[in-house]
């Protein structure tokens, strides 16, 4: 009794005490109490007692439900029967409320009965108990609630519960064997009369909720669709459609039935007239709840039977008309219209994809439905328009409401289908109809914006049809907008501007084919770039237009505006990806200028502000700017953005289609101005700023890719800067990434081999790389690990063999670091390390094969590779095995299997060479056994250590042989053959069975 009082006090504190510490303590005590055996007796006692405390009873019911779910299968038969009787008694006590408490008791009772499956036929006995309850006062309320929760509990238990013997139990057939009795009971309940309307409505909702549970369980599965329509319970559901309180549940039941029974939609089509009457009354009353429900139901019926709709019988056309009315309904949000979209998409796509050989009247079907889709298109355009609040808003950053934006996103597929169904010419004619381009009327911008959205969405379809349409009206809108010198897109006009820019970008090839004066368009783009809401659309459209209209952009007036746009970038502060589009497009146009002097002058003019911003970094007054944080931040950001622009110019200058022009001359001109600034930066204290270093390295990388041959004489100096700066700022992995770019460009030149070896040595001996001695450290610096491993991959692939051979000691150190890094939790770092090891093993096998098959003089690279692997193999195997443990190991299965397969191939093939005394199959045998033995006992199951290595070695042997053969035959099958695939499968199974073991 004392413990029961303590529970009651703890529940009271948890729910009512104002002190959070007291509530936390009470919760902890209750959690611990629930784990005890005493909880069974205390909770049962509370639930069957006369405590006038709902919260305490509710806690007891929830506790019993959880205990039954977790431990119910451990109860003995007598304890189970006693608990069943107690719960039945409690359920009867709370028949009149509260309803949440009765639901919890019924959930606990249903779960307990199902857990008794090993002792007797549980559901049969439960129904016997319910039959007894029906004859008692208010017993039907308990029966109704039990029948409601029982199918839900059955579904959960079938998915999660296993018997003591480990078998899953499928209760559904036994449950459905009682369908007839349940239907009889529900019909009796539906025919009962009550004095109060509220009682009647509440009982109807409970009946529908119960029926919904049984429909989800499949209770109508054995009834033919034809006879289902006359079923008295279905009539009850249809009658409930006309009652506001039960409407939502009636809709749920019908929608569930449509999804459950394939033949039911054909039957329900006959009830469309009745359903439409309910809909019309809802239209008259403005009842959005009913309209939304009917729209969902009709949409589901139509989607389930598209062929029936296409046959265009009167009932089908009535359904289509009703859904069209729902689309047109002027709701405050877009939920009703959105709920019908899938139906329209299904119908349109089925008509478009009709098989003419099977359906001979395909043209007739399109003729019947074309007017429907024309009307639908009008409705969609109307519903896609912004509301008055957005239209009249003057705020520059006001975007589409979230609901409208989502509706438009969902609308894309349907608009494409409508365009295909109607043909592009009809679609475009519909877009530009209405007379809104007439000069004597005010332009309805809301309508224009929506039509531009639709026109952009179908661009791929229109362009694919191959017919060229006159889009001069789009340019006419541009001219109207930019006619005023003071035009700035504000408020809703920002949205108009964005939609128009999207259209220009999508149809730029057509527009550029007949435009003669680009000035209005360029002014339009510039105006949009100045506003954040439409800057991205305008930058993208600007790039596309410049790519397609090179000739017209070479006019002096166009070039003048291009340079004006470039100047505007300083104050617009576009996102970097948008600025890249703009700078890249301008560079493309300038790079195509045939006049070399004009081209060079304009390119220097384009970059002059960027050169100036970088130069300001080194001015003497920068100390004063640091005293003003805002000015200093602006200086840094401006310089970083300038480096970005310079790199973008170099990148786009060599990709311009002007191969016939002397681009080299322009590259040299820019380089002569840029290199002194870059050299100055690499020698300055500004290097400590991460953003500046990354921007400068990106610019240098793109410059080398574009004008690498001009860097030959500067190479020693550049490499020295990179290695020295990394040594000074070892968190700036950008220097390693830039060095990778240089080796990609120049690595094949033997004369620079010593420079690259020196660079590798300085990187490898850096304190940050030396510190990579544990997975924990690797997880702290994942970007550094990735950059370093990728650098060595590039070094191996691009350097001559002699250079690689001379780097043996450095490669051995880096290989051992990679083996450690492959155990990192960070996926990118671990996979980069494994990629490096895989690359080295792949090349090692190639060198071994060459040493045997070629008659050329022996290369020093092969013995170097053999030594590196023999010295590092034990650590490699140990760490790769370790990487297969823990929760994140599944993402490493493929790489781990590949690495060990390659190692097996190298070891097995070395047996046939003169290096077998250094590296052989026994080497791998010893490494794998040592790796398994070194794992703590808790990592493996009992006895697994003895068998694991043997099983893996056998599969590794087959996988290694397959790999060698695939290399000889140049066969690139997945995992190089059956052995490799078996190894990967073995590793996946190992990971899956060890994924919950904690890693150190």
């Amino acid at each position: 009794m004392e413990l029961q009082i303590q529970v009651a006090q703890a529940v009271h504190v948890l729910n009512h005490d104002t002190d959070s510490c007291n509530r936390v303590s009470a919760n902890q005590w209750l959690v611990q109490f629930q784990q005890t055996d005493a909880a069974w007796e205390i909770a049962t006692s509370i639930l069957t007692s006369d405590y006038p405390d709902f919260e305490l009873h509710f806690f007891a019911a929830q506790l019993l439900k959880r205990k039954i779910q977790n431990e119910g299968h451990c109860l003995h038969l007598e304890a189970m029967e006693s608990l069943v009787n107690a719960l039945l008694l409690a359920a009867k006590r709370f028949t009149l409320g509260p309803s949440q408490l009765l639901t919890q008791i019924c959930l606990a009772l249903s779960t307990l009965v199902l857990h008794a499956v090993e002792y007797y036929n549980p559901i049969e006995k439960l129904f016997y108990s319910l039959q007894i309850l029906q004859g008692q006062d208010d017993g039907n309320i308990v029966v109704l609630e039990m029948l409601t929760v029982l199918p839900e509990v059955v579904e959960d238990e079938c998915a999660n519960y296993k018997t003591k013997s480990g078998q899953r139990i499928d209760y559904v057939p036994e449950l459905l064997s009682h369908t007839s009795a349940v239907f009889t009971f529900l019909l009796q309940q539906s025919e009962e009369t009550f004095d109060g309307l509220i009682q009647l409505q509440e009982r109807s909702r409970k009946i529908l909720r119960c029926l919904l549970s049984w429909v989800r369980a499949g209770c109508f599965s054995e009834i033919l669709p034809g006879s289902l329509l006359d079923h008295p319970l279905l009539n009850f559901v249809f009658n409930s459609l006309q009652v506001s309180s039960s409407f939502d549940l009636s809709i749920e039941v019908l929608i569930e039935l449509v999804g459950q029974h394939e033949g039911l939609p054909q039957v329900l089509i006959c009830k469309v007239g009745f359903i439409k009457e309910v809909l019309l009354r809802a239209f008259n009353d403005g009842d959005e709840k009913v309209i939304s429900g009917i729209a969902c139901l009709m949409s589901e019926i139509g989607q389930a039977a598209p062929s029936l709709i296409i046959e265009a019988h009167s009932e089908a056309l009535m359904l289509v008309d009703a859904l069209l009315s729902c689309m047109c309904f002027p709701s405050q949000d877009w939920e009703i219209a959105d709920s019908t979209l899938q139906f329209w998409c299904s119908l349109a796509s089925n008509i478009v994809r009709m098989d003419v050989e099977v359906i001979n009247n395909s043209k007739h079907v399109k003729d019947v439905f074309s007017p429907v889709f024309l009307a639908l298109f009008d409705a969609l355009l109307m519903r896609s328009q912004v509301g008055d609040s957005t239209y009249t808003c003057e705020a520059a950053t006001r975007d589409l409401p979230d609901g409208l934006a989502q509706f438009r996103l969902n609308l894309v597929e349907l608009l494409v289908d409508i365009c295909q169904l109607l043909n592009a010419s009809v679609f475009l004619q519909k877009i530009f109809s209405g007379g809104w381009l007439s000069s004597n009327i005010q332009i309805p911008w809301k309508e224009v914006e929506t039509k531009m959205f639709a026109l952009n969405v179908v661009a791929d379809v229109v362009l694919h049809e191959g017919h060229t349409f006159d889009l001069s009206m789009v340019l006419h809108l541009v001219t109207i907008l930019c006619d005023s010198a003071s035009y700035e897109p504000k408020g809703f006009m920002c949205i108009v501007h964005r939609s128009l820019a999207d259209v220009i970008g999508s149809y730029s090839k057509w527009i550029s084919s007949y435009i003669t004066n680009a000035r209005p368009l360029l002014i339009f783009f510039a105006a949009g770039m100045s506003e954040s809401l439409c800057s991205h659309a305008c930058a993208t459209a600007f790039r596309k237009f410049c790519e397609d209209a090179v000739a017209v952009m070479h006019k002096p007036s166009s070039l003048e505006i291009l340079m004006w746009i470039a100047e505007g970038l300083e104050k617009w502060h576009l996102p970097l990806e948008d600025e890249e589009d703009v700078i890249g497009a301008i560079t493309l146009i300038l790079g195509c200028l045939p006049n070399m002097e004009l081209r060079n002058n304009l390119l220097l003019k384009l970059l002059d502000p960027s050169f100036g911003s970088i130069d300001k970094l080194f001015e003497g007054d920068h100390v004063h700017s640091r005293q003003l944080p805002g000015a200093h931040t602006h200086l840094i950001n401006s310089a970083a953005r300038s480096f970005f622009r310079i790199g973008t110019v170099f990148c786009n200058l060599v990709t311009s289609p002007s191969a016939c022009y002397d681009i080299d001359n322009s590259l040299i001109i820019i380089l002569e101005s840029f290199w002194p600034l870059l050299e100055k930066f690499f020698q300055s204290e500004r290097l400590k700023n991460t953003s500046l270093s990354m921007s400068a390295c990106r610019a240098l990388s793109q410059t080398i890719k574009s004008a690498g041959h001009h860097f030959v004489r500067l190479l020693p100096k550049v490499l020295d800067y990179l290695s020295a700066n990394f040594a000074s700022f070892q968190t700036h992995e950008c220097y390693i990434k830039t060095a990778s770019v240089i080796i990609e460009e120049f690595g094949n030149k033997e004369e620079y081999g010593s420079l690259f070896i020196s660079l590798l040595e300085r990187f490898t001996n850096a304190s940050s790389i030396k510190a990579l001695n544990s997975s924990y450290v690797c997880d702290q610096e994942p970007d550094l690990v990735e950059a370093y491993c990728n650098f060595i991959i590039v070094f191996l692939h691009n350097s001559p063999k002699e250079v690689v051979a001379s780097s043996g000691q450095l490669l051995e150190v880096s290989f051992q670091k990679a083996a450690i890094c492959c155990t990192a939790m960070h996926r990118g770092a671990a996979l980069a390390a494994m990629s490096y090891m895989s690359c080295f093993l792949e090349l090692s096998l190639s060198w071994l094969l060459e040493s045997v098959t070629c008659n050329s003089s022996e290369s020093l690279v092969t013995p170097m590779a053999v030594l590196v692997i023999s010295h590092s193999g034990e650590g490699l195997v140990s760490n790769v095995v370790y990487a297969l443990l823990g929760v994140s190991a599944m993402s490493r299965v493929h790489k781990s299997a590949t690495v060990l397969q390659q190692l097996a191939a190298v070891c097995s093939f070395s047996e046939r060479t003169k290096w077998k005394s250094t590296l052989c199959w026994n080497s791998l045998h010893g490494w794998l056994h040592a790796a398994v033995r070194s794992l703590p006992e808790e990592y493996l199951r009992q006895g697994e250590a003895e068998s694991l290595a043997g099983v893996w070695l056998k599969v590794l042997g087959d996988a290694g042989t397959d790999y060698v053969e695939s290399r000889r035959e140049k066969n690139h099958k997945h995992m190089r053959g059956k052995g490799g695939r078996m190894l990967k499968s073995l590793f996946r199974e190992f990971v899956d069975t060890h994924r919950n073991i904690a890693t150190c």
Side-chain angles (χ1 to χ4, degrees), residues 221-247:
S221 57
E222 300 300 323
I223 301 176
L224 295 174
S227 58
L228 186 59
L229 191 61
D230 298 324
H231 197 284
L233 275 177
L234 202 59
N235 289 331
F236 172 75
V237 173
F238 276 112
N239 291 334
S240 299
L241 279 177
Q242 304 178 74
V243 181
S244 176
S245 61
S246 57
F247 173 81

Side-chain angles (χ1 to χ4, degrees), residues 753-938:
S754 59
L755 284 176
F756 297 143
I757 294 173
S758 175
L759 183 66
L760 173 61
E761 181 179 12
R762 296 181 75 172
F763 285 156
T764 303
N765 290 331
S767 58
S768 58
I769 300 298
K770 283 185 174 181
L772 298 175
N773 290 321
S774 69
S775 60
Y776 175 80
V777 178
C778 297
D779 282 324
Q780 304 306 303
E781 296 291 344
D783 294 337
L784 177 63
V785 173
E786 289 187 56
Y788 179 67
C789 290
N790 290 333
F791 168 78
I792 303 179
I793 290 173
V794 171
F795 178 84
L796 289 171
H797 276 302
N798 292 276
S799 300
K801 291 179 184 177
E802 293 73 14
V803 173
V804 175
S806 301
S807 310
Q809 290 183 341
L810 296 171
L811 291 173
E812 183 174 325
V813 172
S814 66
F815 196 83
Q816 291 167 359
K817 295 291 181 188
I820 294 170
C821 292
C822 80
T823 64
M825 292 292 291
H826 190 278
R827 184 173 183 272
L831 294 183
M834 288 186 177
S835 294
Y836 162 41
M837 293 191 294
S838 176
C839 169
F840 186 85
L841 291 169
E842 172 82 9
L843 290 172
S844 298
L845 183 60
S846 298
W847 297 327
L848 277 168
L849 289 168
E850 287 177 12
S851 68
V852 173
T853 57
C854 297
N855 295 322
S856 56
S857 59
E858 182 181 313
S859 172
L860 295 175
V861 73
T862 307
M864 179 277 297
V866 170
L867 281 174
V868 168
I869 295 171
S870 65
H871 293 166
S872 310
E874 184 173 358
L876 182 155
V877 175
S878 175
N879 284 292
V880 169
V881 170
Y882 186 86
L884 291 173
L885 295 170
V887 294
S888 60
M890 191 59 78
S891 62
R892 306 170 193 181
V893 165
H894 179 77
K895 281 287 187 184
S896 299
T898 300
V899 167
L900 289 188
Q901 183 183 15
Q902 290 170 323
L903 181 62
V906 170
C907 290
S908 63
F909 189 78
S910 294
E911 294 269 0
R912 313 173 201 175
T913 68
K914 62 183 178 181
W915 295 288
K916 62 182 177 181
S917 60
T918 306
L919 183 66
C920 61
W921 184 253
N922 283 336
S923 305
L924 179 58
H925 185 280
W927 295 336
L928 187 57
H929 276 281
V932 173
R933 284 196 304 270
S934 67
L935 290 174
E937 292 181 2
E938 62 269 19

Side-chain angles (χ1 to χ4, degrees), residues 563-815:
M563 303 314 295
W564 173 67
I565 290 174
E567 293 171 8
L569 293 175
E570 297 296 326
K571 58 183 178 182
W572 295 335
H573 302 295
L574 299 179
L576 287 179
E577 60 269 22
D578 293 339
E579 189 161 297
E580 184 174 14
D581 276 343
V582 175
I583 291 291
I586 295 174
T587 303
L588 179 71
I589 298 300
L590 300 183
C592 293
L593 286 170
N595 186 317
M596 185 173 66
E597 183 180 357
L598 176 63
R599 183 201 321 142
N600 292 343
N601 288 337
L602 290 179
L603 284 169
L604 289 175
K605 184 178 180 180
L606 172 66
L607 290 175
D608 188 58
S610 299
F611 294 150
S613 294
I614 297 171
D615 200 34
K616 286 179 182 178
L617 289 172
F618 319 118
E619 291 180 357
D621 61 352
H622 71 265
V623 176
H624 302 294
S625 72
R626 291 186 183 180
Q627 298 171 0
L628 301 171
H632 180 249
T633 300
H634 175 74
L635 179 70
I636 296 298
N637 291 341
S638 179
R641 194 171 282 259
S642 297
F643 277 124
F644 183 86
R645 290 174 187 164
I646 294 168
T648 301
V649 168
F650 273 109
C651 183
N652 285 273
L653 198 57
V654 294
T655 57
S656 63
S658 55
C660 55
Y661 304 132
D662 185 14
I663 290 299
D664 247 17
N665 180 269
S666 300
L667 292 171
I668 293 171
I669 293 292
I670 300 173
L671 202 54
E672 286 175 347
S673 298
F674 176 50
W675 171 247
L677 292 172
L678 190 61
E679 189 173 24
K680 206 171 182 180
F681 173 77
F682 281 146
Q683 295 173 321
S684 75
E685 62 179 23
R686 295 291 189 183
L687 287 168
K688 66 181 68 174
N689 184 280
T690 304
S691 174
L692 282 175
S693 288
M694 289 177 62
S695 299
C697 284
R698 175 188 179 276
L700 176 58
S701 297
Q702 291 181 313
T703 303
I704 290 171
K705 289 177 182 178
S706 305
H709 52 290
H710 298 299
F711 265 89
V712 172
R713 60 185 180 85
L714 300 172
L715 206 54
K717 189 177 289 187
V718 172
L719 293 177
D720 186 59
Y721 285 143
L722 293 176
S723 57
N725 291 336
F726 177 70
S728 300
F729 307 100
Q730 296 191 21
T731 57
H732 295 183
E733 71 280 348
C734 54
Y735 295 111
I736 298 181
K737 292 179 179 178
T738 305
S740 299
V741 173
I742 292 176
I743 292 182
E744 274 187 310
E745 290 292 321
F746 302 104
N748 60 340
K749 298 183 182 296
E750 293 186 21
E751 60 268 30
Y752 300 118
S754 59
L755 284 176
F756 297 143
I757 294 173
S758 175
L759 183 66
L760 173 61
E761 181 179 12
R762 296 181 75 172
F763 285 156
T764 303
N765 290 331
S767 58
S768 58
I769 300 298
K770 283 185 174 181
L772 298 175
N773 290 321
S774 69
S775 60
Y776 175 80
V777 178
C778 297
D779 282 324
Q780 304 306 303
E781 296 291 344
D783 294 337
L784 177 63
V785 173
E786 289 187 56
Y788 179 67
C789 290
N790 290 333
F791 168 78
I792 303 179
I793 290 173
V794 171
F795 178 84
L796 289 171
H797 276 302
N798 292 276
S799 300
K801 291 179 184 177
E802 293 73 14
V803 173
V804 175
S806 301
S807 310
Q809 290 183 341
L810 296 171
L811 291 173
E812 183 174 325
V813 172
S814 66
F815 196 83

Side-chain angles (χ1 to χ4, degrees), residues 921 925 928-929 932 944-957 986:
W921 184 253
H925 185 280
L928 187 57
H929 276 281
V932 173
E944 191 175 17
E946 290 75 18
S947 61
L948 190 66
V951 173
W952 282 17
L953 278 168
K954 184 179 184 307
V955 178
L956 277 168
L986 186 69

